[in-house]
């Protein structure tokens, strides 16, 4: 519809334009014609000339009148007037001499002739005019006569000019007529055109109106759409801008403007994209992908730019400054949190490590304290066994009781530390719950009776005869409960019971409990009872002693066995503490032969066994020596591993009791060296903390048994008996007697020395030793040859010591044998013809070892 | 202060102007060339202000070079500026009715006469204009200097042989 309208309007416009052009052409033609006419008129008609000739005639007439009047002597006559008129006439004629009039008459000879003659007459008259006297009529007539003919001639000129003028006017009229005709045609054409236009207009008015109506409606629709669009654009949350194909801004909303605070004035329709948004300009023509722009004002926008179908460009800007800020904060917060978490983890780990370190330290301290305690207890025990006066006996009994109490506390702490450090090892065995409970009751029977308490045992009918579990630990728990019950109950009874857990007849969970009729536990305190290092009252702790760890240990132990602890109590009327443990039923074990606690003295091939006690602690040395003495052993003591090696090289032993942790060289290293050196003497490890793993380890490096500290007499006897009964032949190394199989040089020992005291010292030592060895060996050989027993013994002893010190194992052993032989007058002195050979081999070996070590150093 | 100074200066100017205008015109001693009548403030005779050549020259002569439709080349004219003459007589009318010796007369617009440096020429190329030379007074328009003065209608204002001017 609009197109049709536009087409018809275009046709009309073209038609009108053509008509206007035609009329304009006509008009121009007419004007040109008129111009020509004007030109011709101005060229052909010197109307000035006509006028001037008429004026000249008039002036001439006036001059002549004045002249005659003056000449006649009339009173009006005036010489000045004559002169004036003469001058005026001259000025009139003079006009022809120059300017436009001169040009006008240039082609007119008659005119030129007339003017020339007139000027001549004027010039001729000029001089005599003033001489003219009034009344001199003759003179006046003479002048008059001279000028009079010019009147007619000027008239003739005027007439001629007028005629020419008329002719010219005639021509002009013709031209005018022509022009009029043209104008008529022009006007007619115009009228026709106008009529056509009007007719056409009228004809199409209705259609036009209709079309206009439609167009208006369409325009209204478009306007509404545009308004809606504008409204939409204005009200959307994002900045919106539309650019045309030439990147000029078509429209945008206020939000878009607000994004460019510095350029608000610039952002108006027609503004260039490049001036407003350089970032967007850079993206122009690229595939549209949302981008995050940081604007000049520091704001962040999410820019979604899209090309439109007509080559324009739509920009949508979402303000994401706040989002960005939060994102940044989140990132920062996250970073902080992670950092905090890491710090917390590190702290927790550090705390954990510190805690473990503390536990280990506690455990170690407990050992360290327990060791002298053992010493004290052992000595006190020995003292109690010796003949004493009554007063002394009481003192010793008191000391033993105190030491026992102290040891109990230490044991508690050690237990707890072990549990804490995760070192607790359960050792399940088959046992009888009833027997266990009975045993605990027996232990507390005497103290209970002393307090006037009844101690009762209740074995439930459904209690299994045999179960499997760590009986020792369970006994510990019950002892703990029983101890508390006896301690805190002043009157009434203490009952130890065992049975299925109440209400769970078929369950494998057994409940061991200890009830009392004591003061009970306040409900408020119940929660803290099983906590670590807690006691209900500090004063109670002081009165009754104890670490307060008992219940905590009980709880930990129960948990380690998969059970739980608890209690019920009514303040004033007593409490019941129980521990529930899942204990599977077990078959009755085979009857065990009763161990001999205090058997006869130990013998070795009918003699007293030689025992090397390797122990750094003097107290332990004392205790162990005392036990060993009682067992009928001969004891040699070494302060550490190194001394032990020396001792072994020096003298033969039947068994070695080897403490594990010692200064200078520990038991493990010493064992390793002894075994490497071919020493086959049984070695029993003595340790305060031997786990199952430890025992394996000890065995792996060549130890034959393990004795736990604190050493008990029975334990010691059993360990020694086992070690002494062992088959030496089954050991991997050679027997003690076969010296020939010993190593010439103990390289390990030498290397150890090098590591301990440095290569230079060792080299010097070896060098010195070699000299000494040679000399002492010679002395020894001479003594042997001279059958000088004391000399041989001294020399052999020295030889043995020197050789042992530098790892000359074979030589040392040989010397030891000689020494041994020299000592005993019953034994025949060996001839020892091989001593020189052995010495030579030793020296060679030492030299090789030294040079080898040097080579290794310089390499 | 500055306002006072300005007032005093203005007053002095007014007094000076009035004095100049009120200066009595001298009486012509030679032949009278021009008579100004009508709406004028200064007169030296009952009919008006009469000027001989000396009086006109005393008003101050200026030069004007311009072509004319009636002369060849570019003559140099000397004479009294019309404005100066009008000031000298204290003319206060709008129209100048100029009459020539040959009774030719034309009405000139006083304002226009003042607007351009129009000359009452007394001399052409160093010679006094005589009656026969369209003198003794010829109104000269600065035709060459002002294009708007070159039309045919403007040529009518070049009245020569002026005898009298009536200010209306």
């Amino acid at each position: 519809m609009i197109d049709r309208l536009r087409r018809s309007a275009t046709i009309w416009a073209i038609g009108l334009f053509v008509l206007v052009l035609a009329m304009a052409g006509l008009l121009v033609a007419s004007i040109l014609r008129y111009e020509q006419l004007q030109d011709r008129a101005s060229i052909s008609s010197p109307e000035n000339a006509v006028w001037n000739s008429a004026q000249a005639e008039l002036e001439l007439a006036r001059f002549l009148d004045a002249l005659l009047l003056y000449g006649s002597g009339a009173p009006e006559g005036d010489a000045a007037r004559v002169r004036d008129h003469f001058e005026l006439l001259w000025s009139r004629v003079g006009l022809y001499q120059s300017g436009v009039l001169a040009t006008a008459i240039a082609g007119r000879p008659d005119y030129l002739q007339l003017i020339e003659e007139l000027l001549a007459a004027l010039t001729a008259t000029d001089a005599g005019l003033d001489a003219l006297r009034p009344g001199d009529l003759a003179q006046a007539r003479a002048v008059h006569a001279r000028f009079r003919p010019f009147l007619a001639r000027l008239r003739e000129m005027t007439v001629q000019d007028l005629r020419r003028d008329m002719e010219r006017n005639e021509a002009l009229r013709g031209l005018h007529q022509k022009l009029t005709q043209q104008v008529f045609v022009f006007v007619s054409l115009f009228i026709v055109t106008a009529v056509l236009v009007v007719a056409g207009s009228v004809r199409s008015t209705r259609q036009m109106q209709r079309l206009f109506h439609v167009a208006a409606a369409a325009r209204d629709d478009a306007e509404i759409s545009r308004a809606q669009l504008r409204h939409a654009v204005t009200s959307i949350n994002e900045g919106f801008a539309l650019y045309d194909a030439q990147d000029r801004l078509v429209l945008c909303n206020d939000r878009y403007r607000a994004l460019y605070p510095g350029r608000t004035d610039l952002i108006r329709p027609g503004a260039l994209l490049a001036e407003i948004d350089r970032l967007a300009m850079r993206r122009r023509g690229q595939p549209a992908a949302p981008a995050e722009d940081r604007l000049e004002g520091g704001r962040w926008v999410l820019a979604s730019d899209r090309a439109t179908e007509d080559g324009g460009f739509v920009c949508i800007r979402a303000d994401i400054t706040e989002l960005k800020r939060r994102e940044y904060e989140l990132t920062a917060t996250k970073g902080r949190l992670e950092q905090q978490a890491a710090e917390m983890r590190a702290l927790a780990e550090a705390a954990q490590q510190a805690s473990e370190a503390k536990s280990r330290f506690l455990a170690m301290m407990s050992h360290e304290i327990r060791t002298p305690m053992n010493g004290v207890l052992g000595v006190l025990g020995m003292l109690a066994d010796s003949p004493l006066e009554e007063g002394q006996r009481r003192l010793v009994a008191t000391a033993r009781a105190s030491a026992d109490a102290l040891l109990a506390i230490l044991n508690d702490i050690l237990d707890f530390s072990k549990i804490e450090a995760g070192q607790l090892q359960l050792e399940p065995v088959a046992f009888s719950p009833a027997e266990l409970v009975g045993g605990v009751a027996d232990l507390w029977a005497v103290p209970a009776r002393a307090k006037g308490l009844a101690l009762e045992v209740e074995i439930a009918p459904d209690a299994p005869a045999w179960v499997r579990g760590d009986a020792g630990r369970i006994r510990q728990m019950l002892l703990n409960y029983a101890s508390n019950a006896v301690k805190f109950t002043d009157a009434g009874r203490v009952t130890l019971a065992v049975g299925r857990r109440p209400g769970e007849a078929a369950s494998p969970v057994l409940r061991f409990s200890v009830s009392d009729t004591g003061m009970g536990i306040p409900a408020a305190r119940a929660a803290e009872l099983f906590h670590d290092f807690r006691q209900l009252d500090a004063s109670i702790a002081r009165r009754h002693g104890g670490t307060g760890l008992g219940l905590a240990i009980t709880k930990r132990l129960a948990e380690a066995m998969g059970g739980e602890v608890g209690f019920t109590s009514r303040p004033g009327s007593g409490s019941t503490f129980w521990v529930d443990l899942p204990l599977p039923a077990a078959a009755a074990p085979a009857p065990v032969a009763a161990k001999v606690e205090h058997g006869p003295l130990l013998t070795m091939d009918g003699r007293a066994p030689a025992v090397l006690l390797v122990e750094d602690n003097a107290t332990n040395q004392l205790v162990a020596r005392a036990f060993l003495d009682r067992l009928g052993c001969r004891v040699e003591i070494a302060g550490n591993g190194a001394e032990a090696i020396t001792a072994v090289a020096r003298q033969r032993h039947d068994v070695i009791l080897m403490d594990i942790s010692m200064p200078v060289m520990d038991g493990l290293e010493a064992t390793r060296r002894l075994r490497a050196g071919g020493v086959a003497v049984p070695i029993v490890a003595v340790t305060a903390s031997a786990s199952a793993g430890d025992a394996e380890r000890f065995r792996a490096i060549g130890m034959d048994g393990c004795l736990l500290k604190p050493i008990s007499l029975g334990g010691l006897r059993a360990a020694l008996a086992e070690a002494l009964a062992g088959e030496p032949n089954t050991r991997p190394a050679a027997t003690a007697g076969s010296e020939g199989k010993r190593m010439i040089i103990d390289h390990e020992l030498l290397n150890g020395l090098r590591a301990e005291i440095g290569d230079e010292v060792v080299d010097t030592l070896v060098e010195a030793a070699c000299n000494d060895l040679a000399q002492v060996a010679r002395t020894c050989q001479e003594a042997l040859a001279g059958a000088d027993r004391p000399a041989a013994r001294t020399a052999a002893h020295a030889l043995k010591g020197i050789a042992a010190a530098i790892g000359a194992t074979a030589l040392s052993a040989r010397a030891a044998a000689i020494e041994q032989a020299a000592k005993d007058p019953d034994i025949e002195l060996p001839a020892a013809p091989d001593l020189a050979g052995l010495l030579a081999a030793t020296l060679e070996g030492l030299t090789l070892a030294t040079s080898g070590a040097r080579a290794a150093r310089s390499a | 202060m500055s306002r006072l100074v300005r007032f005093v200066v203005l007053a002095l100017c007014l007094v000076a102007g009035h004095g100049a205008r009120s200066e009595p015109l001298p009486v012509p001693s030679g032949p009278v060339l021009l008579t100004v009548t009508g709406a004028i403030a200064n007169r030296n005779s009952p009919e008006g202000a009469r000027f001989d050549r000396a009086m006109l020259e005393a008003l101050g002569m200026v030069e004007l070079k311009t072509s004319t439709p009636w002369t060849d080349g570019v003559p140099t004219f000397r004479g009294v500026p019309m404005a100066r003459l009008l000031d000298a007589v204290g003319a206060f009318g709008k129209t100048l009715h100029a009459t020539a010796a040959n009774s030719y007369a034309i009405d000139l617009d006083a304002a226009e006469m003042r607007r351009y440096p129009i000359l009452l020429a007394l001399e052409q190329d160093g010679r006094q204009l005589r009656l026969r030379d369209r003198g003794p007074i010829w109104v000269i328009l600065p035709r060459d200097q002002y294009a708007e003065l070159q039309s045919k209608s403007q040529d009518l204002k070049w009245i020569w042989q002026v005898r009298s001017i009536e200010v209306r």
Side-chain angles (χ1 to χ4, degrees):
Chain A
M1 196 61 98
I2 298 294
D3 284 350
R4 263 179 64 189
L5 192 68
R6 201 176 290 162
R7 264 202 303 280
S8 80
T10 310
I11 290 163
W12 277 109
I14 291 170
L16 281 172
F17 182 66
V18 168
L19 280 173
V20 167
L21 266 186
M23 286 188 285
L26 283 170
L27 194 62
V28 169
S30 302
I31 288 167
L32 284 174
R33 280 292 183 84
Y34 195 79
E35 286 280 305
Q36 283 177 351
L37 201 67
Q38 285 289 91
D39 287 352
R40 208 176 301 170
S42 64
I43 291 164
S44 64
S45 90
E47 76 266 47
N48 290 359
V50 178
W51 190 75
N52 208 52
S53 58
Q55 286 286 318
E57 186 190 341
L58 190 62
E59 296 287 2
L60 180 55
R62 282 179 185 159
F63 168 61
L64 290 177
D65 280 354
L67 183 67
L68 285 179
L69 201 59
Y70 184 64
S72 67
E76 298 90 341
D78 186 352
R81 270 195 73 199
V82 173
R83 175 46 83 172
D84 270 5
H85 284 298
F86 181 78
E87 290 289 325
L88 287 172
L89 175 63
W90 199 330
S91 76
R92 185 60 65 186
V93 175
L95 283 170
Y96 286 106
Q97 283 184 298
S98 63
V100 285
L101 280 179
T103 312
I105 62 169
R108 306 268 300 272
D110 49 345
Y111 235 126
L112 290 170
Q113 179 70 31
L114 173 62
I115 299 303
E116 197 179 325
E117 286 178 23
L118 248 176
L119 279 171
L122 285 166
T123 311
T125 311
D126 188 22
L129 195 60
D130 293 334
L132 204 64
R133 292 286 160 261
D136 191 349
L137 194 60
Q139 277 289 328
R141 280 187 192 278
V143 173
H144 186 271
R146 189 182 294 160
F147 282 97
R148 188 175 165 81
F150 288 111
L151 276 174
R153 290 179 69 182
L154 280 168
R155 169 71 52 83
E156 182 62 26
M157 283 297 156
T158 307
V159 169
Q160 263 186 31
D161 280 351
L162 277 173
R163 196 179 296 127
R164 291 164 72 99
D165 222 26
M166 279 169 70
E167 284 167 4
R168 194 193 58 204
N169 281 351
E170 200 67 26
L172 277 174
R173 202 177 301 127
L175 275 171
H176 268 290
Q177 209 165 342
K178 265 183 153 177
L179 263 179
T180 309
Q181 281 170 357
Q182 283 180 354
V183 167
F184 177 75
V185 171
F186 168 76
V187 168
S188 301
L189 269 172
F190 186 80
I191 287 169
V192 168
T193 307
V195 166
L196 279 172
V197 167
V198 168
S201 298
V202 168
R203 194 173 61 84
S204 62
T205 295
R206 196 166 294 170
Q207 189 191 357
M208 294 283 268
Q209 273 176 348
R210 198 163 55 79
L211 287 173
F212 272 122
H213 188 73
V214 170
R219 199 184 53 219
D220 286 352
D221 284 351
E223 190 55 45
I224 289 167
S225 298
R226 205 176 308 152
Q228 284 172 341
L229 177 65
R230 204 177 301 130
H231 181 69
V233 164
T234 309
S235 59
I236 58 172
N237 263 331
E238 286 77 27
F240 176 94
L242 173 64
Y243 293 86
D244 65 12
Q246 279 75 45
D247 290 339
R248 287 183 304 241
L249 182 64
V250 178
L251 84 160
C252 71
N253 60 7
D254 288 343
R255 285 184 193 279
Y256 185 78
R257 261 186 219 100
L259 288 173
Y260 305 90
R263 277 174 246 166
T264 316
D265 295 343
L266 197 73
I267 303 176
R268 53 176 187 274
L272 285 172
L273 174 60
E275 293 169 2
I276 298 170
D277 193 338
R278 278 180 216 95
L279 292 170
M281 190 63 201
R282 231 173 282 153
R283 282 197 295 274
R284 186 83 160 96
Q286 291 170 3
E292 290 182 355
D293 289 350
R294 188 182 163 84
L295 301 181
E296 275 170 32
R299 301 197 75 78
W300 278 92
V301 294
L302 180 68
S304 306
D305 299 339
R306 224 165 239 98
T308 61
E309 281 178 15
D310 59 354
F313 195 50
V314 169
C315 298
I316 296 172
R317 298 275 177 282
D319 192 330
I320 55 168
T321 309
E322 190 63 16
L323 222 63
K324 272 277 170 193
R325 192 178 63 76
R326 282 198 203 132
E327 189 183 310
Y328 175 77
E329 279 177 4
L330 268 175
T331 311
T333 308
K334 197 179 157 208
R336 267 204 309 280
L337 284 174
E338 279 172 358
Q339 195 185 335
Q340 276 177 5
E343 283 169 7
M344 296 297 279
R345 264 198 307 278
L347 280 174
E349 277 168 18
Q352 182 69 28
Q353 280 170 6
S355 173
E356 281 171 12
K358 216 178 282 177
S359 293
R360 280 197 301 275
F361 175 74
L362 206 54
M364 193 190 79
M365 281 305 292
S366 304
H367 283 310
E368 297 299 318
I369 297 169
R370 230 154 53 134
T371 306
M373 269 313 293
N374 277 325
V376 171
L377 277 170
V379 170
L380 286 172
M382 281 152 55
L383 202 57
D385 288 348
S386 64
L388 292 171
E389 291 170 16
E390 190 51 35
Q392 288 173 324
R393 191 168 298 282
R394 270 208 307 280
L395 287 176
V396 170
T398 308
R400 284 186 81 175
S402 298
D404 277 333
L406 191 52
L407 191 61
I409 292 170
L410 284 173
N411 284 336
D412 271 2
I413 294 174
L414 185 60
D415 274 346
F416 187 76
S417 306
K418 272 188 175 173
I419 295 168
E420 275 286 276
Q423 293 171 352
L424 179 70
Q425 296 248 338
L426 294 174
E427 289 165 15
V429 294
F431 71 94
S432 159
E435 229 173 75
L436 186 140
V437 173
V440 172
D442 287 348
L443 273 173
W444 281 98
V446 176
R449 206 164 37 241
K451 281 188 84 174
L453 299 173
L455 189 63
E456 296 170 359
V457 175
E458 287 177 7
I459 310 297
D462 60 357
W466 294 93
V467 292
R468 190 168 179 78
D470 190 334
R473 291 301 185 182
I474 296 169
R475 185 181 294 115
Q476 187 181 351
M477 290 190 278
L478 284 181
L479 280 172
N480 198 5
Y481 278 165
S483 153
N484 283 342
V486 172
K487 262 189 224 168
F488 297 112
T489 305
D490 297 324
R493 66 175 60 82
V494 171
T495 309
L496 279 70
V498 63
R500 298 281 182 196
R501 186 151 72 175
E504 293 178 34
S507 156
V509 177
L510 282 187
R511 167 164 292 191
F512 299 87
S513 65
V514 177
S515 306
D516 63 58
T517 56
M519 56 189 168
I521 313 287
R525 296 282 180 84
E528 352 179 310
L529 206 58
F530 286 95
H531 284 194
D532 307 340
F533 302 106
R534 287 286 161 82
Q535 277 189 329
L536 291 190
D537 196 332
S539 64
I540 294 173
R542 277 195 297 279
R543 188 145 44 95
H544 299 285
T547 55
L549 277 175
L551 290 178
I553 291 169
T554 303
K555 182 167 180 268
R556 297 292 183 96
L557 286 173
E559 283 166 358
M561 293 179 198
E564 55 183 333
V565 296
F567 75 98
T568 53
S569 178
R570 274 182 305 162
S573 59
S575 320
T576 300
F577 282 82
W578 48 262
V579 53
D580 289 351
L581 299 168
L583 300 172
V592 195
K595 277 188 179 176
V596 181
E597 278 293 312
H598 301 287
L601 296 179
L602 291 169
T603 56
M604 180 74 191
D605 304 335
R607 60 173 171 87
V611 175
L612 175 63
L613 174 63
V614 188
E615 168 66 67
D616 58 309
N617 184 286
T619 310
N620 281 347
Q621 286 175 5
L622 176 68
V623 173
R625 182 189 282 277
F627 285 155
L628 288 171
D629 282 347
R630 282 185 57 173
L631 290 171
C633 299
R634 286 192 292 128
V635 183
E636 185 182 353
I637 293 177
N640 55 54
E643 284 179 18
I645 290 168
T646 313
V648 169
R650 195 171 52 231
Q651 187 155 0
R652 209 170 160 277
H653 302 96
D654 297 310
V655 65
I656 301 172
L657 286 175
M658 182 76 81
D659 188 26
I660 295 302
S661 66
M662 287 176 296
V664 184
M665 185 187 291
D666 66 15
L668 300 176
E669 179 62 21
T671 304
R672 235 179 264 123
R673 293 195 182 196
L674 288 170
R675 292 290 182 242
V679 176
V681 178
I683 301 174
V684 175
V686 181
T687 177
S689 58
S691 66
D694 285 340
E696 284 299 312
R697 197 148 54 88
F698 299 158
R699 215 168 281 283
I701 62 166
M703 284 179 158
D704 301 270
C706 182
L707 181 60
L708 281 176
K709 283 185 180 177
I711 297 171
S712 69
L713 189 59
L716 186 60
R717 171 190 282 276
L720 286 176
E722 192 184 26
L724 290 170
E727 272 295 326
N729 293 339
T730 60
R731 303 193 189 289
T735 58
S738 55
E739 290 150 3
K741 292 183 183 174
R742 286 179 191 272
M743 290 191 305
I744 300 293
I745 304 293
D746 184 350
H747 292 282
E748 208 166 333
L749 182 135
L750 261 184
N751 289 337
L753 277 176
R754 289 184 187 282
E756 291 288 337
I757 58 177
D759 289 307
E760 283 182 25
V761 180
V762 172
D763 287 350
T764 314
L765 188 70
V766 168
E767 202 179 331
C770 286
N771 291 334
D772 290 352
L773 280 178
Q775 199 180 336
V776 175
R778 211 170 29 247
T779 310
C780 184
Q781 223 161 357
E782 282 164 7
L784 285 174
D788 182 351
R789 280 184 186 269
R793 206 185 83 187
T794 309
H797 184 80
L799 187 61
K800 177 187 73 178
I802 298 167
I806 55 171
T809 316
L811 184 61
S812 175
R814 188 82 181 85
I818 293 167
E819 187 192 5
Q820 194 70 28
K823 255 195 276 184
D824 196 340
D826 300 338
I827 301 172
E828 199 178 329
L829 272 178
D834 59 333
L835 194 58
L838 190 56
L839 177 67
T842 300
L843 293 179
E844 193 187 335
L846 283 171
T847 310
L848 277 171
T850 305
S851 59
R854 278 211 190 95
R857 277 208 302 284
S858 59
Chain B
M1 188 64 182
S2 69
R3 200 180 272 190
L4 181 64
V5 168
R6 228 188 296 166
F7 173 78
V8 169
V9 169
L10 185 64
L12 284 172
C13 286
L14 283 172
V15 168
H18 183 72
R21 219 178 299 148
S22 66
E23 192 181 315
L25 284 168
V27 177
S29 54
V32 171
L33 298 188
L34 179 68
T35 306
V36 184
T37 63
I40 57 170
N42 301 338
R43 299 162 189 272
N44 55 9
S45 76
E47 58 209 283
R50 305 195 314 156
F51 292 90
D52 60 9
R53 181 173 294 275
M55 284 167 69
L56 287 171
E57 287 178 349
L59 289 176
M61 302 278 275
V62 295
E63 248 180 31
L64 178 60
K65 277 172 85 86
T66 183
S67 64
T68 82
W70 304 276
T71 54
D72 297 331
V74 183
T76 300
F77 297 97
R78 278 187 89 233
V80 183
M82 178 71 92
R84 207 171 285 178
L85 175 77
L86 294 177
D87 285 344
V89 298
F92 49 86
K94 283 183 180 174
T95 306
L96 308 179
H97 184 73
T99 307
N102 61 355
S103 302
Y104 173 81
I106 187 168
D107 283 348
L108 301 169
D109 184 60
E112 189 185 42
M113 290 299 115
R114 286 177 186 275
R115 191 155 60 239
Y116 297 102
I118 288 166
L119 212 59
L120 291 160
L122 296 173
E123 294 172 13
Q124 179 184 343
D125 293 327
R127 288 189 293 110
Q128 283 188 4
L129 288 167
R130 296 163 298 176
L131 204 52
R132 69 177 69 164
D133 305 321
R134 299 178 285 281
I137 298 171
W138 187 5
V139 171
I140 303 295
L141 276 61
R143 188 178 190 271
D144 290 357
Q145 288 77 6
Y146 298 91
E148 69 265 28
L149 301 179
Q150 289 170 6
S151 71
K152 275 209 154 132
S153 60
Q154 293 291 335
D155 290 350
L156 298 176
K157 296 172 184 173
W158 291 65
I159 181 170
W160 55 68
Q161 295 160 342
V162 178
R163 278 274 165 80
S164 67
I165 296 171
E166 186 190 356
V167 182
R168 291 177 176 171

